[in-house]
Amino acid sequence: MNNMVMLNHVSHFNIGQILESGQVFRFEKISDHSYLLNAKQKLIKITQQPDSSSVAIYNTTASEVEEIWMNYFDINTNYENITATLAAKDEWMAKAVEFGKGIRILRQDPWEMLISFIVSQNKSIPHIKACLKNITNKFGFPINEVDGMGEHYHSFPTPKELSRATEEDLRECKVGFRAPYIMDACQKVLNGDVILNDLYIMPIEEAKAKLMTIKGVGPKVADCILLFAYSRMELFPTDVWIKRVIEGLYFEGKDVKLEEIQKFASEYFGELAGYAQQYLFFYGRENALFKDISKKKA
DNA sequence: GTTCAGGTGTCCA
DNA sequence: TGGACACCTGAA
């Protein structure tokens, strides 16, 4: 792959941690320090040596980096204050931040996040990735080939492209009972019931309610979309993993209602709740923290 | 064979 | 208003 652009002196950037923290699905690890990332209708390879502040992006140009990837990777946000503030909360946060200090919250495409997190419900991450690959292969258009990869990659289908899919088509992509949800999302976006670009400036509760008019979008999926596409950092998407971690760390392992966890996160982490969620999720999942709690309670 | 996975819609008290 | 329960699918 040619056309390499080097990013130098990037702090709080670890490509492995960024991609493995559960916010993005269309990537592959291709070697120890290299990842292939399919996003923004591009295919790039990213290579970063351990603990290096230099990041090599292949198959791109300086102007693309300026126009697309700087924003996508949120390079201009200074994570120094964010990590320092969160680490000062308590010793667990300090550990979580230290463990995932190279995490950044990406600025991804709202439509792709909408479909991705509809698919994500009640699925494991490898399965989510497989379903999204099926969908892109079937309904996206081919993008540039990669040397020696022997595989064609496809862009994420637009609402119009995906609206061609029948329920049967979608079930062939192994999305199961989520097929009608995807069709409803296509329809509401295409007919203007939900205008994704409007959500950037909409009050947070209104934006969330708007997303939840789509079938298959509940509070957790809406929070993920608003955090990972719209950078609404005050949100704290609460899934089974993060629920266990919060219960384990801050509620003595007791079963706590969703609302109570959200209330706690909002009061304790404030505007940084979304970042805290990412650090805790990554820390909790990589270390399988409190994985047994739900079993013991049952 | 059973259970569980980054939840949500539906039904019923 | 809130608590069960089912739901595609496939991996463990």
Side-chain angles (χ1 to χ4, degrees):
Chain A
M1 256 195 252
N2 295 322
N3 302 323
M4 187 270 273
V5 177
M6 203 75 179
L7 297 179
N8 291 308
H9 310 295
V10 285
S11 71
H12 298 277
F13 189 111
N14 179 316
I15 190 59
Q17 292 182 352
I18 289 169
L19 297 179
E20 306 280 2
S21 61
Q23 58 181 320
V24 55
F25 301 104
R26 298 196 305 127
F27 69 91
E28 292 165 39
K29 186 170 188 173
I30 54 174
S31 69
D32 276 355
H33 310 301
S34 289
Y35 287 85
L36 220 47
L37 174 65
N38 186 341
K40 297 280 176 184
Q41 307 186 341
K42 309 279 180 196
L43 184 69
I44 56 174
K45 183 177 88 172
I46 304 154
T47 300
Q48 181 184 29
Q49 295 307 310
D51 299 319
S52 169
S53 64
S54 294
V55 181
I57 305 181
Y58 295 83
N59 204 28
T60 191
T61 62
S63 63
E64 262 184 25
V65 168
E66 196 59 39
E67 289 160 21
I68 299 174
W69 304 118
M70 291 294 281
N71 179 58
Y72 181 86
F73 287 110
D74 197 23
I75 297 294
N76 290 326
T77 292
N78 183 353
Y79 272 64
E80 201 57 50
N81 291 336
I82 296 165
T83 51
T85 304
L86 288 176
K89 291 287 179 187
D90 56 69
E91 63 174 305
W92 281 105
M93 275 312 298
K95 280 184 189 170
V97 168
E98 175 59 27
F99 185 79
K101 61 187 172 188
I103 291 175
R104 279 175 178 268
I105 296 186
L106 302 172
R107 295 174 185 269
Q108 300 184 76
D109 177 66
W111 167 248
E112 180 173 342
M113 290 298 95
L114 170 59
I115 299 302
S116 298
F117 282 97
I118 285 175
V119 169
S120 80
Q121 64 181 260
N122 224 41
K123 268 186 186 298
S124 62
I125 289 178
H127 201 179
I128 298 165
K129 291 173 76 168
C131 286
L132 292 174
K133 187 147 214 167
N134 293 338
I135 288 173
T136 53
N137 285 350
K138 201 158 183 175
F139 301 104
F141 60 86
I143 53 178
N144 52 2
E145 294 180 40
V146 188
D147 303 340
M149 297 305 294
E151 183 183 350
H152 289 283
Y153 288 81
H154 296 253
S155 64
F156 198 86
T158 62
K160 194 167 184 181
E161 286 165 347
L162 194 53
S163 70
R164 298 196 317 259
T166 63
E167 177 162 348
E168 192 180 334
D169 289 334
L170 290 169
R171 282 180 186 268
E172 278 173 20
C173 295
K174 305 301 177 187
V175 300
F177 62 84
R178 305 159 193 81
Y181 301 164
I182 293 171
M183 295 176 78
D184 190 52
C186 285
Q187 193 185 350
K188 287 201 165 72
V189 168
L190 281 178
N191 73 14
D193 283 348
V194 176
I195 300 171
L196 291 173
N197 276 338
D198 286 358
L199 303 190
Y200 283 103
I201 52 168
M202 207 177 270
I204 194 82
E205 286 307 323
E206 199 180 324
K208 195 165 165 178
K210 180 59 87 175
L211 284 170
M212 286 170 63
T213 62
I214 297 168
K215 294 246 189 252
V217 179
K220 190 271 177 181
V221 167
D223 281 354
C224 284
I225 298 165
L226 288 167
L227 177 59
F228 299 135
Y230 296 93
S231 302
R232 296 299 187 101
M233 302 307 184
E234 68 270 43
L235 291 172
F236 194 82
T238 305
D239 56 48
V240 291
W241 277 101
I242 206 71
K243 183 170 184 291
R244 282 181 209 144
V245 170
I246 293 294
E247 286 171 352
L249 296 185
Y250 300 107
F251 291 90
E252 299 163 348
K254 286 184 293 189
D255 193 11
V256 176
K257 281 184 185 168
L258 184 68
E259 299 161 359
E260 197 168 344
I261 289 180
Q262 299 257 328
K263 184 164 173 281
F264 165 80
S266 175
E267 288 170 1
Y268 195 59
F269 300 120
E271 295 294 301
L272 301 180
Y275 296 105
Q277 195 268 3
Q278 278 306 96
Y279 293 118
L280 285 172
F281 178 82
F282 184 70
Y283 184 58
R285 196 165 65 92
E286 295 287 311
N287 296 292
L289 244 47
F290 309 111
K291 198 177 188 319
D292 300 329
I293 281 187
S294 48
K295 289 177 194 167
K296 283 175 188 164
K297 278 187 300 210

